[in-house]
Amino acid sequence: MLDVEGFVNESLESIKAQVSGKAIIACSGGVDSMVSAALVSKAVGDRLLAIYVDSGLMRKGETEEVRGMLQEMGINFKVVDAAEEFFSALKGVTDPEAKRKAIGERFIRVFEREARSFGADTLVQGTIAPDWIESGDGVRDTIKSHHNVGGLPKDMEMSLCEPLRDLYKDEVRQVARFLGVRSSERQPFPGPALAVRCLGEVTPENVAIVREACYIVEDEIGKAAASGGMELPWQYFAVLLPSRSVGVQGDRRAYGRTVVIRAVCSVDGMTATYAPIPTAILDRISSRITNTMKSQVNRVVYDITNKPPATIEWE
Ligand code: XMP
C-alpha cells in the first residue's frame, strides 16, 4: 500500500533538487502526465511549462478538455498545433514500431523547439513502471517500445525527470486523488494516441473514423455503466482495421472497413481479461457506429482475448 502523502513530499523534494532551471512537460491530459505536471508545478511553479501537443491523433473533444484542466490546476501551459507535422511523419508508415518511433521523435522535436524558446533544460515525463518494464529493462524481452521510453532519440539534449517511474497505474490514481487532479478517473490512453488504434497507415481520414468509433464506444459503455447495465471496464475503445470486407449498401455490394470493440478488465495493464459487454449494449454500439459512418464502416467485431496472449492495444 502506497503512503501517498509520504510519496508526494519525497517527490517534491527530489524534483526541487533535480530541476534547477526550467522544465517542460508534454501533458496529454492522461493521469500520468497530469499528475507529473501537478507535482513538478507544485515544486518549481512557473519554471515548469506544460505543453499540450495537438498531434491530430487525440480523442474527440480532448484538446478543449485538457486546456480546461490545465487552466483549472493553475499550471503554466501552452497548446501547440502540430497535426500537419505528425501526419507527414506518419505518411506511408504501417509498421507499429516504426509508427511509435516516428511519433516519439516528432514529440521530442516539438518539445525541443518549445524547450529552446522557453529556455528549459529538463524534460519531465509521465513514465510509470509498466512502461519501462515492458519496454525492456535489460532483463525482460521488449514487448512494445512505448514511445516515452523506446522512441527517445539518443541525441536529446535535455535531462530527464520521471517522478512516477516507480509507480503502477493504481498508485498514480491514488496520488491523483490526493492532489485533486481531475483526470484521476479517466481511463488510460496510450502515448501514441489513436495512431496505435488505426492499423495500417495513419491518415487524417483513418484517424477521423477511429476517433468517432472510440467516442461511440466510450459514450455507450459509459452510459451503460452509469445506469447499472454493466461494470465500467478498466479500458474500452475502438480499433480500426486496414482491411476491407464485403457488405451491402442499399441493394449493392460495397466494401467497407471493420471496427473492433475492445474492452478489458485490469489492475495495472500488465495482464488483462476481456470485459464482458451485454449483448444489448454491443448491439447499440454496432448500430451506432455503422449508422454514423455508413459509407466507411460495414462491420463491427468484439475482441474476446485476454492479455496474455494478446496485448490490450492492437499495436
Ligand atoms: P498493451 O497494449 O501493451 O498496453 O497491453 C498496456 C497499457 O499501456 C498502454 N499503452 C501505452 N502507453 N505508450 C503509453 O504511454 C504506448 O506506446 C502504449 N502502448 C500501450 C495501453 O493503452 C494499456 O493501458
Side-chain angles (χ1 to χ4, degrees):
M1 185 70 186
L2 179 73
D3 165 15
V4 179
E5 196 171 353
F7 168 82
V8 169
N9 291 336
E10 251 176 53
S11 172
L12 293 181
E13 287 315 307
S14 96
I15 293 165
K16 278 180 199 156
Q18 213 182 331
V19 182
S20 52
K22 290 181 168 180
I24 190 166
I25 182 170
C27 263
S28 60
V31 66
D32 304 341
S33 58
M34 293 303 268
V35 171
S36 301
L39 282 170
V40 179
S41 163
K42 257 187 192 306
V44 307
D46 283 358
R47 282 193 290 123
L48 170 75
L49 176 64
I51 300 287
Y52 173 85
V53 180
D54 186 354
S55 59
L57 304 169
M58 303 306 280
R59 283 169 296 184
K60 196 167 172 169
E62 200 147 25
T63 301
E64 287 324 305
E65 196 187 336
V66 177
R67 190 196 297 273
M69 289 192 300
L70 288 164
Q71 255 158 4
E72 228 174 67
M73 286 159 64
I75 292 173
N76 184 25
F77 78 95
K78 178 177 175 184
V79 174
V80 182
D81 179 1
E84 260 180 47
E85 226 176 290
F86 276 81
F87 282 119
S88 87
L90 287 164
K91 209 169 168 52
V93 181
T94 53
D95 176 73
E97 287 299 294
K99 275 186 196 173
R100 276 199 163 74
K101 284 231 150 55
I103 292 168
E105 257 171 47
R106 255 321 93 209
F107 265 113
I108 297 298
R109 296 304 163 217
V110 172
F111 290 153
E112 274 182 341
R113 223 165 44 216
E114 296 300 328
R116 253 195 305 278
S117 74
F118 182 58
D121 46 27
T122 303
L123 175 69
V124 182
Q125 285 201 311
T127 313
I128 64 169
D131 296 339
W132 61 266
I133 292 170
E134 291 201 348
S135 294
D137 55 1
V139 180
R140 294 178 184 227
D141 288 340
T142 300
I143 297 171
K144 288 178 185 177
S145 62
H146 287 182
H147 90 273
N148 33 2
V149 182
L152 216 57
K154 302 214 173 6
D155 60 350
M156 199 188 69
E157 287 156 6
M158 289 176 275
S159 62
L160 257 189
C161 169
E162 297 178 316
L164 309 179
R165 204 181 151 75
D166 296 324
L167 301 192
Y168 284 85
K169 203 85 192 186
D170 52 322
E171 296 173 322
V172 178
R173 289 215 171 95
Q174 290 174 42
V175 177
R177 279 192 284 272
F178 180 81
L179 294 173
V181 174
R182 186 153 63 87
S183 66
S184 63
E185 304 308 331
R186 285 165 53 118
Q187 59 164 317
F189 187 59
L194 295 176
V196 291
R197 295 181 178 173
C198 195
L199 275 62
E201 193 180 359
V202 184
T203 61
E205 296 72 29
N206 287 340
V207 171
I209 298 174
V210 81
R211 175 181 291 122
E212 189 62 31
C214 269
Y215 170 70
I216 292 172
V217 170
E218 283 196 29
D219 187 51
E220 289 297 340
I221 290 185
K223 281 195 297 209
S227 65
M230 65 179 282
E231 281 211 15
L232 195 66
W234 190 73
Q235 204 170 1
Y236 44 107
F237 54 88
V239 176
L240 177 68
L241 302 188
S243 51
R244 283 168 203 277
S245 69
V246 177
V248 274
Q249 222 174 42
D251 52 4
R252 295 181 39 210
R253 272 165 80 89
Y255 289 91
R257 305 288 291 274
T258 298
V259 163
V260 179
I261 302 170
R262 180 68 163 149
V264 296
C265 309
S266 181
V267 175
D268 54 17
M270 301 287 281
T271 59
T273 53
Y274 78 85
I277 305 174
T279 316
I281 297 161
L282 286 171
D283 240 19
R284 266 209 299 278
I285 295 173
S286 171
S287 307
R288 193 167 152 194
I289 288 176
T290 48
N291 285 335
T292 311
M293 291 173 283
K294 265 193 182 64
S295 57
Q296 293 136 320
V297 180
N298 67 357
R299 203 172 288 274
V300 176
V301 299
Y302 174 31
D303 181 351
I304 52 166
T305 31
N306 298 330
K307 173 184 179 178
T311 50
I312 295 174
E313 303 288 346
W314 273 49
E315 283 192 339

